[in-house]
Amino acid sequence: MSGAVTAVSSNAEYSFTKPNRESITLLEGLGVAGDVHAGVTVKHRSRVAQDPTQPNLRQVHLIHEELFAEVGAAGFEVRAGDLGENVTTSGIDLLGLSAGTLLHLGDEAVVEVTGLRNPCLQIDAFRAGLLKRVVGRDESGALVRKAGIMGVVRRGGTVRPGDAIVVEAPEGPHVPLDRV
């Protein structure tokens, strides 16, 4: 499976949205250079409040641009970076990946998928009613989180819009993603 990077975003300050950039640099074991969420330990405020010594499994946030079309059909205008993601993708079923999947971004960078983003109330503060569009239930009633996935940087490198993404599935059985 392969796809492409359609946008990259980062922000040095705590803000829900992140401005698009010409490129971002991923730093092994840390995240996006200059991004407020980069670090070995958790940086998301809710996680820091629980236990600031937790490992940062949310170094890089990826969202599939197909989600923007889905919520757009329901009347919500959402663009790359609006939901706080660092990498916007196309052509990959991010939500269907297995935990431990390696995403090769461009020529050098590798991100290991750790889990799902847990959508929060800030999404409704951004666009009232949007949270219900990115969290739902499947046919069996199980919770479905659609606001992207999280990962850690296994190999650093520069990532730009237009870069290819190559998906490397982990050995062993598929492990469905859970929130991190």
Side-chain angles (χ1 to χ4, degrees), residues 101-115:
T101 296
L102 298 179
L103 300 175
H104 298 260
L105 306 169
D107 294 331
E108 303 170 312
V110 178
V111 171
E112 180 181 344
V113 176
T114 56

Side-chain angles (χ1 to χ4, degrees), residues 14-32:
Y14 278 106
S15 173
F16 183 70
T17 62
K18 295 187 180 200
N20 296 152
R21 309 288 183 191
E22 289 183 18
S23 67
I24 56 173
T25 300
L26 301 185
L27 303 173
E28 185 174 325
L30 295 174
V32 179

Side-chain angles (χ1 to χ4, degrees), residues 87-144:
V87 179
T88 309
T89 70
S90 69
I92 298 174
D93 176 13
L94 294 178
L95 305 178
L97 296 174
S98 179
T101 296
L102 298 179
L103 300 175
H104 298 260
L105 306 169
D107 294 331
E108 303 170 312
V110 178
V111 171
E112 180 181 344
V113 176
T114 56
L116 296 169
R117 175 190 184 183
N118 192 30
C120 63
L121 291 175
Q122 289 181 333
I123 293 174
D124 265 353
F126 172 70
R127 297 272 190 278
L130 183 57
L131 183 60
K132 287 184 180 180
R133 298 294 175 170
V134 298
V135 177
R137 301 269 176 193
D138 66 14
E139 312 79 47
S140 67
L143 191 63
V144 176

